[in-house]
Structures are given as structure tokens and as C-alpha cells.
């Protein structure tokens, strides 16, 4: 009886906690689970990002590195403008943007919370040019702007560590917490399966990514061509990026249908 009461109490407590921990996606108004504060998320992100850069080789190709930084900076400016125009500038508080290119055969790119971007040199043959790169960077930065990793981290903490806060989880189970973190970005694939973004998060990032790239001066039509190239790239062993970003016909159709809206933001 006591046990039953306790578990009932625990359920109510958990429900109350979840209710309190829901926040709105800044750009779409969708409610999302958020057990983790920006503060916690960013401080962890910045440490993990620096550690990643220490453990990996930065590209020595200055032309490509400069291209990654230039595209990143243009998209950063677009995001800043977009947030300001929508009275949401505080949503970028604490961001410390950084754009780096690492030497790696992997076809991959990601943006950790707070604007910490890495592009893998193996992606560049698929993006082909600055416009293709803007498709991917716009999309990855959109995930960060919409706080998708807070949501995924919260879901993983809830599922694996019983809803501990990030700080508590880091203290109590540092290795598990770090493994979850790595699996969010495909950085430590050896630790287990990657946690892909949900379909909903993917389409939010596609949509926002198109707007950000257009505002940054890149023709959003390039997104259709890029995702078609990605789907042709799917061999026997598809790249990590593709396994978490399935490029099916539905996705490409949806992107096509959003191009006219994005074109309104496009300034050459
Ligand atoms: Zn994505």
C-alpha cells in the first residue's frame, strides 16, 4: 500500500516536474521538454567543444577554413537579425559563436548549443560550394537556435537517469552523461547508437534553415539540389549525417514547398 502510494506520488511529482519544465520553441511556438537550463547546457557545450577540438585535427586548408567561417558568420548575422525582428533577442543570450573545419573523411557537421559549429572536411565534396555549405550550416544552426539539443538531452536524462538535472547527472554519473552528450552529436559513435533528431525537429530545422540561409544571401533553391545529392550518396554504408538526416522524397518535397516563403527573405 505504502509502495503504491509512493509510486503514485512519484508519478504526480514527475508529471508536475514535466509540466513545469516545458518551454516553447522560440521560433515555432511548439512546446518542448526542457529539464536543462541554457546555462547548464552552454557551459557543458563549451567544455565539450574545446575538448573535441583538442582531440581532432583542425584543417590546414585555409581557403576551405575561411569559407566555413565566412558562411557561418553570414548565417550568424541572419539569425541575430531574425531574432531581433521577432523580439526574441534574449533567446541568443550566452551564445558564443564559433566555426571550425576539421580534417576528417566523415560526411558530417553539427552545432552544439550556444553556436559551436564543426564542419568535417568529408562533407565539402557533397556540399560542393558555398551555397551547399550554407544549406547544411543553416540547418545545423537552426537546431541550436530552436534548442533541440536541450530537448533531446532532457528526454535522454529522463529515460536513462530518471530525470536528473544535467548538473546532478554530471556529478552522479559523469560517464553516462558524457556518453549521452556525445551520442547527440555523433561525436563518439563508438559509445553506442546515435540519438537522431526527431522528424519534427528535422522539419523545424529544414524550415528555419531555409529562412536563415536566404537572409544570409544564399539562394534557398540550393537546398533541394543538396538533399538530392545526399540521397544519391546513400551507398551500402551511408554517412553518419545521412543516417540521422534521412533524405527521402517526402523531405525533399516539403523543402520544395517551403522555398517560396524562404525566397521572400532572399536578398542577393
Ligand atoms: Zn538535422
Amino acid at each position: 500500500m505504502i509502495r503504491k502510494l509512493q509510486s503514485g506520488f512519484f508519478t504526480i511529482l514527475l508529471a508536475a516536474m514535466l509540466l513545469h519544465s516545458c518551454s516553447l520553441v522560440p521560433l515555432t511556438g511548439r512546446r518542448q521538454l526542457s529539464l536543462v537550463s541554457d546555462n547548464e547546457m552552454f557551459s557543458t557545450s563549451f567544455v565539450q567543444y574545446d575538448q573535441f577540438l583538442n582531440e581532432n585535427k583542425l584543417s590546414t586548408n585555409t581557403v576551405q577554413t575561411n569559407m566555413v567561417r565566412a558562411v557561418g558568420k553570414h548565417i550568424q548575422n541572419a539569425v541575430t537579425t531574425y531574432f531581433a525582428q521577432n523580439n526574441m533577442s534574449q533567446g541568443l543570450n550566452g551564445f558564443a559563436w564559433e566555426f571550425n573545419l576539421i580534417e576528417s573523411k566523415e560526411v558530417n557537421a553539427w552545432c552544439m548549443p550556444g553556436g559551436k559549429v564543426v564542419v568535417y572536411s568529408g562533407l565539402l565534396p557533397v556540399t560542393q560550394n558555398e551555397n551547399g555549405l550554407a544549406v547544411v550550416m543553416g540547418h545545423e544552426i537552426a537546431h541550436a537556435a530552436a534548442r533541440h539539443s536541450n530537448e533531446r538531452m532532457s528526454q535522454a536524462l529522463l529515460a536513462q537517469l530518471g530525470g536528473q538535472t544535467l548538473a546532478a547527472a554530471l556529478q552522479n554519473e559523469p560517464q553516462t552523461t558524457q556518453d549521452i552528450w556525445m551520442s547527440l552529436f555523433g561525436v563518439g559513435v563508438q559509445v553506442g547508437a546515435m540519438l537522431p533528431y526527431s522528424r519534427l525537429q528535422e522539419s523545424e530545422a529544414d524550415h528555419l534553415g531555409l529562412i536563415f540561409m536566404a537572409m544570409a544571401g544564399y539562394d534557398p533553391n540550393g537546398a533541394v539540389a543538396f538533399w538530392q545529392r545526399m540521397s544519391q550518396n546513400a551507398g551500402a554504408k551511408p554517412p553518419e549525417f545521412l543516417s540521422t538526416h534521412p533524405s527521402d522524397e517526402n523531405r525533399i518535397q516539403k523543402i520544395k514547398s517551403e522555398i517560396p516563403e524562404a525566397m521572400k527573405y532572399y536578398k542577393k
Side-chain angles (χ1 to χ4, degrees):
M1 183 60 187
I2 300 251
R3 176 156 294 193
K4 209 170 178 185
L5 270 177
Q6 274 178 340
S7 89
F9 177 69
F10 182 70
T11 310
I12 293 170
L13 192 73
L14 196 66
M17 191 170 87
L18 292 184
L19 212 62
H20 266 279
S21 317
C22 270
S23 61
L24 292 177
V25 177
L27 307 163
T28 60
R30 177 174 66 81
R31 290 205 164 270
Q32 65 185 168
L33 178 64
S34 176
L35 298 172
V36 183
S37 70
D38 273 353
N39 245 347
E40 281 186 299
M41 208 64 189
F42 291 176
S43 56
T44 307
S45 173
F46 299 167
V47 170
Q48 297 288 349
Y49 186 77
D50 287 345
Q51 190 179 326
F52 179 85
L53 292 182
N54 281 332
E55 290 170 357
N56 289 273
K57 191 175 178 297
L58 285 173
S59 171
T60 49
N61 184 323
T62 47
V63 174
Q64 291 181 340
T65 300
N66 289 342
M67 176 174 71
V68 166
R69 298 219 161 112
V71 172
K73 188 78 193 157
H74 292 149
I75 293 175
Q76 173 194 339
N77 292 340
V79 172
T80 306
T81 306
Y82 185 90
F83 271 64
Q85 285 171 350
N86 290 280
N87 291 320
M88 298 183 308
S89 288
Q90 62 185 25
L92 295 175
N93 283 350
F95 268 60
W97 298 93
E98 213 176 315
F99 312 98
N100 284 294
L101 178 66
I102 63 148
E103 206 72 67
S104 166
K105 288 198 180 92
E106 267 185 70
V107 179
N108 203 5
W110 39 256
C111 178
M112 279 186 186
K116 298 292 192 182
V117 177
V118 162
V119 174
Y120 295 58
S121 57
L123 178 72
L124 299 181
V126 192
T127 52
Q128 289 184 354
N129 52 39
E130 216 174 304
N131 190 282
L133 183 59
V135 174
V136 177
M137 292 182 80
H139 175 97
E140 293 305 319
I141 286 170
H143 278 307
R147 302 293 193 278
H148 286 161
S149 292
N150 298 40
E151 195 175 12
R152 291 191 302 156
M153 193 74 208
S154 301
Q155 286 160 345
L157 287 173
L158 192 64
Q160 292 187 37
L161 298 175
Q164 297 184 36
T165 63
L166 182 57
L170 276 169
Q171 201 167 26
N172 300 336
E173 297 179 68
Q175 192 55 50
T176 312
T177 312
Q178 181 160 350
D179 289 351
I180 294 174
W181 184 278
M182 294 310 194
S183 71
L184 294 184
F185 300 99
V187 179
V189 191
Q190 69 279 6
V191 301
M194 273 228 28
L195 295 172
Y197 287 105
S198 71
R199 212 165 245 280
L200 190 64
Q201 292 173 329
E202 280 308 322
S203 56
E204 276 178 359
D206 281 341
H207 180 208
L208 289 167
L210 287 178
I211 293 173
F212 295 154
M213 79 178 283
M215 288 177 77
Y218 299 106
D219 184 350
N221 284 292
V224 176
F226 169 77
W227 288 110
Q228 280 166 346
R229 280 202 297 281
M230 278 302 278
S231 71
Q232 280 153 16
N233 208 333
K237 191 178 174 291
E240 193 63 53
F241 185 75
L242 194 57
S243 69
T244 56
H245 291 82
S247 178
D248 52 36
E249 196 44 40
N250 284 344
R251 178 180 204 160
I252 293 171
Q253 282 309 325
K254 188 149 189 301
I255 290 174
K256 273 187 188 160
S257 75
E258 290 168 348
I259 300 270
E261 181 199 358
M263 286 304 281
K264 293 183 198 153
Y265 294 88
Y266 179 46
K267 286 188 285 265
K268 269 182 232 177

